[in-house]
Amino acid sequence: MKKIMNTADTFVRDTMEGIIAAHGDQIALLDGDHQVLVRAGGPTPGRVGIVTAGGSGHLPLFLGYVGGGMLDGCAVGEVFASPSAEKMASMIRACDSGAGVLALYGNYNGDVFNFEMACEDVEFDDVATRQVRVRDDVASSPADRAEKRRGVAGLVLAYKIAGAAADRMMSLDEITEVTERALANIRSMGVALSPCIVPKVGTPGFSIAEDEIEIGMGIHGEAGIEVRPMMTAEEIADLLLAKIREDMPLAAGDEVSVLVNGLGSTPLEEQYILYRTAHRILGELGVDVVRPQVGEFATSMEMAGLSLTVMKLDAELKELLLAPASTPFYTNANR
Amino acid sequence: MKKIMNTADTFVRDTMEGIIAAHGDQIALLDGDHQVLVRAGGPTPGRVGIVTAGGSGHLPLFLGYVGGGMLDGCAVGEVFASPSAEKMASMIRACDSGAGVLALYGNYNGDVFNFEMACEDVEFDDVATRQVRVRDDVASSPADRAEKRRGVAGLVLAYKIAGAAADRMMSLDEITEVTERALANIRSMGVALSPCIVPKVGTPGFSIAEDEIEIGMGIHGEAGIEVRPMMTAEEIADLLLAKIREDMPLAAGDEVSVLVNGLGSTPLEEQYILYRTAHRILGELGVDVVRPQVGEFATSMEMAGLSLTVMKLDAELKELLLAPASTPFYTNANR
């Protein structure tokens, strides 16, 4: 196994120590716990706290979005594993300044279970919480069971919306409402070309043939909906957008934001080649693209592949999307 | 070959079209030429133009640094190939607002040859030019032939310094001087774990055994100085810093900036694991790190590996490094 690491057992701890060494001016470990990260300086008085959690191995997801205009805290687990309810509860308490806390996270069983427990736990301390589960991956479950879908790169847009809403000092219920409205307008769909290697396992958990592409694979290697012979970038863009549009129709005059997300080892060049066609197709439909984003936002370590996320905008969502943000891994400098 | 592309022949053109589709508010093609990129809105009157050029396949290098606070123009060639002198000359003319143009580029034969011709060519139009060649890769040539060294991730720091100096309305000679001084204080050293695939070739140009690491490999796969059995992150950080310090001694009280650069498919987690040790070693030496940067700044498509760049700072270089910048691929929001 060719990973630049010390030992598989210290992979997450060493990563967190490196992140704090580099960005300690912006983010801090809560009470020295290397699995709980909060904004340096603590929560803003009167502002609703926005927190998340998830397994390691997806940088910049999840912790990369802790910072100005986005998240107040993030609990991380081992690679591809949920952190404990106890750590989530400590984080929620630390991120409450009296206005309550929104737990905004991907719809995975471990995270759901642990956040449920954590939110119950902090009730005893009179911390008001709401939970919003991101479930943007259209490939992970059909439309009639959309509540079972997993969260993927749409998480980043959800963090952006919720964080900007919190910056406006909206109430916990208002932020929950606008974030749910954003999610009703966010869909993602991805393809994978190669597996990734969990450090403690040391070998790929699955394989994809050299001339094949897996449509709809999840960011932990969850099986997709179909394996096809390798496709061109135009065919991939066309397919991803078609699957998204089947689930969320787009019409002339709509405004959307688009996020192309590299899963790990797919070069930025290829991500832009994909974006080129997505942009053209949306243009032909009369759909306007606002603030497109192309890069690595939610990875699976060295997995090759990418996902496409489309978010339909209304006036409020657009303003929240364009509001400033500044975290160690994400800057929206409002040009 | 598993690349998300349409055809190898259109790889660069399709990439550029995707980039312009996404970032046309900040950057533009010069006269529709998909190999010459300039800032939207053209050069700032009275400000010295800063331009670069290089082969494709290294995103965000080279063109990703065209924008506020950094470059005015960039000519790109096919994958790993220099653009023509003619395109460079067009770019230089377009980026001159009367104060002259600095050509700041990596020390590769093709780029050197073509920029020499281009600078001669624009003399006839009374465009004053200076050339500065970035040669930060200590592995590429020994210290007694340092003028033959290649430019790698240190290019990004050089762009940052020169662009900030130009923003201060310094003269062409002053900018050349401060950029050369920056380069005298910048050293890089890298390792590679896997090859990359040039689209028109379709197969890797070399291989690295599954249990080996190549020390000092160049960003086009130029042979390194040594192949070793796979090392731990601590051993790699120690080796890279030792090679850099042999060439540029560091002493207690020095201030440096550090850039860890992923070459393509090495996950961000592993880059931070490497940074962790570099930070610790520098701390033990009494060296202060200012604005560390970790991520993909100069890649070789899907090559696995990373490089470490150290820049020794003086008061002026530090100010220029920390000055604001905003390009589609690089934001320094001056937190």
Side-chain angles (χ1 to χ4, degrees):
Chain A
M1 176 179 42
K2 255 186 187 177
K3 287 197 188 274
I4 296 178
M5 63 179 193
N6 295 306
T7 68
D9 283 340
T10 59
F11 188 86
V12 172
R13 178 178 293 266
D14 289 351
T15 300
M16 294 297 280
E17 287 183 3
I19 288 173
I20 293 298
H23 307 297
D25 55 333
Q26 290 180 281
I27 48 182
L29 300 179
L30 181 64
D31 302 328
D33 183 335
H34 82 277
Q35 292 194 322
V36 186
L37 201 78
V38 293
R39 286 169 71 164
T44 306
R47 180 186 183 272
V48 168
I50 314 288
V51 302
T52 197
S56 293
H58 300 297
L59 284 182
L61 211 61
F62 297 87
L63 61 85
Y65 304 100
V66 175
M70 296 183 85
L71 303 173
D72 295 274
C74 177
V76 302
E78 284 298 306
V79 173
F80 294 180
S82 182
S84 70
E86 196 189 340
K87 288 184 193 287
M88 290 179 183
S90 304
M91 165 180 70
I92 293 172
R93 284 189 202 97
C95 293
D96 179 42
S97 69
V101 174
L102 173 65
L104 177 58
Y105 57 95
N107 189 28
Y108 295 92
N109 289 340
D111 297 319
V112 171
F113 187 80
N114 289 335
F115 257 126
E116 286 285 351
M117 287 217 297
C119 289
E120 259 180 53
D121 191 25
V122 302
E123 255 182 50
F124 295 102
D125 305 308
D126 285 327
V127 178
T129 59
R130 298 287 181 279
Q131 296 179 55
V132 172
R133 292 169 196 150
V134 178
R135 42 194 192 278
D136 56 312
D137 184 359
V138 298
S140 58
S141 204
D144 58 349
R145 277 173 290 157
E147 77 286 354
K148 294 202 177 298
R149 287 178 176 165
R150 299 183 297 254
V152 287
L155 280 156
V156 179
L157 297 174
Y159 296 156
K160 183 69 192 67
I161 297 299
D167 275 359
R168 290 190 172 183
M169 306 308 264
M170 288 167 66
S171 72
L172 180 54
D173 281 327
E174 288 167 339
I175 295 169
T176 304
E177 186 277 326
V178 74
T179 306
E180 285 285 12
R181 197 169 83 239
L183 288 175
N185 287 290
I186 297 175
R187 297 290 187 286
S188 298
M189 178 82 198
V191 293
L193 303 179
S194 81
C196 61
I197 299 175
V198 175
K200 286 186 181 173
V201 179
T203 49
F206 60 96
S207 67
I208 303 175
E210 183 50 36
D211 55 352
E212 289 182 339
I213 179 169
E214 177 137 359
I215 316 296
M217 171 162 280
I219 58 173
H220 309 95
E222 296 93 340
I225 51 179
E226 197 182 347
V227 177
R228 293 197 185 187
M230 187 59 194
M231 301 160 73
T232 66
E234 296 208 347
E235 290 165 346
I236 297 169
D238 199 43
L239 175 72
L240 297 183
L241 258 182
K243 295 276 185 194
I244 287 171
R245 289 169 55 210
E246 266 173 31
D247 208 83
M248 178 177 73
L250 298 175
D254 282 348
E255 275 192 325
V256 301
S257 193
V258 171
L259 187 144
V260 174
N261 174 54
L263 290 179
S265 62
T266 288
L268 207 40
E269 284 81 1
E270 299 175 30
Q271 298 171 39
Y272 276 100
I273 290 175
L274 189 288
Y275 178 73
R276 167 185 173 270
T277 301
H279 184 94
R280 177 181 57 71
I281 295 172
L282 290 168
E284 287 165 3
L285 293 169
V287 173
D288 260 6
V289 181
V290 175
R291 185 64 56 88
Q293 301 181 85
V294 180
E296 293 179 3
F297 298 93
T299 67
S300 300
M301 293 182 293
E302 63 281 273
M303 190 184 286
L306 50 72
S307 63
L308 181 70
T309 300
V310 177
M311 176 182 184
K312 217 155 52 163
L313 299 171
D314 58 29
E316 186 180 27
L317 292 177
K318 182 175 172 180
E319 273 182 34
L320 295 171
L321 176 72
L322 298 180
S326 178
T327 84
F329 296 82
Y330 187 96
T331 305
N332 191 9
N334 236 7
R335 313 183 274 269
Chain B
M1 175 179 43
K2 256 187 189 177
K3 285 195 188 275
I4 296 178
M5 64 178 191
N6 295 305
T7 67
D9 283 341
T10 60
F11 188 86
V12 172
R13 177 178 295 266
D14 289 351
T15 301
M16 294 297 278
E17 289 183 2
I19 288 173
I20 293 297
H23 307 298
D25 55 332
Q26 289 181 282
I27 48 181
L29 299 179
L30 180 64
D31 303 327
D33 183 336
H34 81 278
Q35 292 194 322
V36 186
L37 202 78
V38 293
R39 287 169 69 163
T44 306
R47 180 186 183 272
V48 168
I50 314 290
V51 302
T52 196
S56 293
H58 300 297
L59 284 182
L61 210 60
F62 298 89
L63 60 84
Y65 305 100
V66 175
M70 296 183 86
L71 303 173
D72 295 274
C74 176
V76 301
E78 284 298 308
V79 173
F80 294 178
S82 183
S84 70
E86 198 189 338
K87 289 184 193 288
M88 289 179 183
S90 304
M91 164 181 69
I92 294 171
R93 283 189 203 97
C95 294
D96 179 42
S97 69
V101 173
L102 173 66
L104 177 58
Y105 57 96
N107 190 29
Y108 295 93
N109 288 341
D111 297 320
V112 171
F113 186 79
N114 289 334
F115 258 127
E116 286 285 352
M117 288 218 297
C119 289
E120 260 180 52
D121 191 24
V122 301
E123 254 183 49
F124 294 103
D125 306 307
D126 285 327
V127 178
T129 59
R130 297 287 182 279
Q131 295 178 57
V132 172
R133 292 169 196 150
V134 178
R135 40 192 196 283
D136 56 312
D137 185 359
V138 298
S140 58
S141 204
D144 58 349
R145 278 172 291 157
E147 76 287 353
K148 294 201 177 299
R149 286 178 177 165
R150 299 182 297 254
V152 287
L155 279 155
V156 178
L157 297 174
Y159 296 156
K160 183 70 192 67
I161 297 299
D167 274 1
R168 290 190 174 185
M169 305 308 265
M170 288 168 66
S171 72
L172 181 55
D173 282 327
E174 288 166 339
I175 296 169
T176 304
E177 187 276 326
V178 74
T179 307
E180 285 285 12
R181 197 170 83 240
L183 288 174
N185 287 291
I186 297 175
R187 297 291 188 284
S188 297
M189 179 82 197
V191 293
L193 302 180
S194 81
C196 60
I197 298 175
V198 174
K200 286 186 182 174
V201 179
T203 49
F206 60 96
S207 66
I208 304 174
E210 183 50 36
D211 55 352
E212 289 182 341
I213 180 169
E214 177 137 359
I215 316 295
M217 172 163 279
I219 58 172
H220 308 95
E222 296 94 337
I225 51 179
E226 197 182 346
V227 177
R228 293 197 185 186
M230 187 58 194
M231 300 159 73
T232 67
E234 295 208 347
E235 290 166 346
I236 296 169
D238 199 46
L239 176 72
L240 297 182
L241 258 182
K243 294 278 185 193
I244 287 170
R245 290 169 55 210
E246 268 173 30
D247 209 83
M248 179 177 72
L250 297 175
D254 282 347
E255 275 193 324
V256 301
S257 193
V258 171
L259 187 145
V260 173
N261 173 56
L263 289 178
S265 62
T266 289
L268 207 40
E269 284 81 0
E270 299 175 29
Q271 298 172 39
Y272 277 100
I273 291 174
L274 189 287
Y275 178 72
R276 166 184 173 271
T277 301
H279 184 95
R280 177 181 56 73
I281 295 172
L282 289 168
E284 287 166 2
L285 292 168
V287 173
D288 260 6
V289 180
V290 175
R291 185 64 57 90
Q293 301 181 84
V294 180
E296 293 180 3
F297 299 92
T299 67
S300 299
M301 294 182 292
E302 64 281 272
M303 191 185 285
L306 50 73
S307 63
L308 181 71
T309 300
V310 177
M311 177 182 186
K312 217 157 50 165
L313 299 171
D314 58 29
E316 186 180 27
L317 292 177
K318 183 176 172 179
E319 273 182 33
L320 295 171
L321 176 73
L322 298 181
S326 179
T327 83
F329 297 81
Y330 187 96
T331 304
N332 191 10
N334 235 5
R335 313 181 273 271

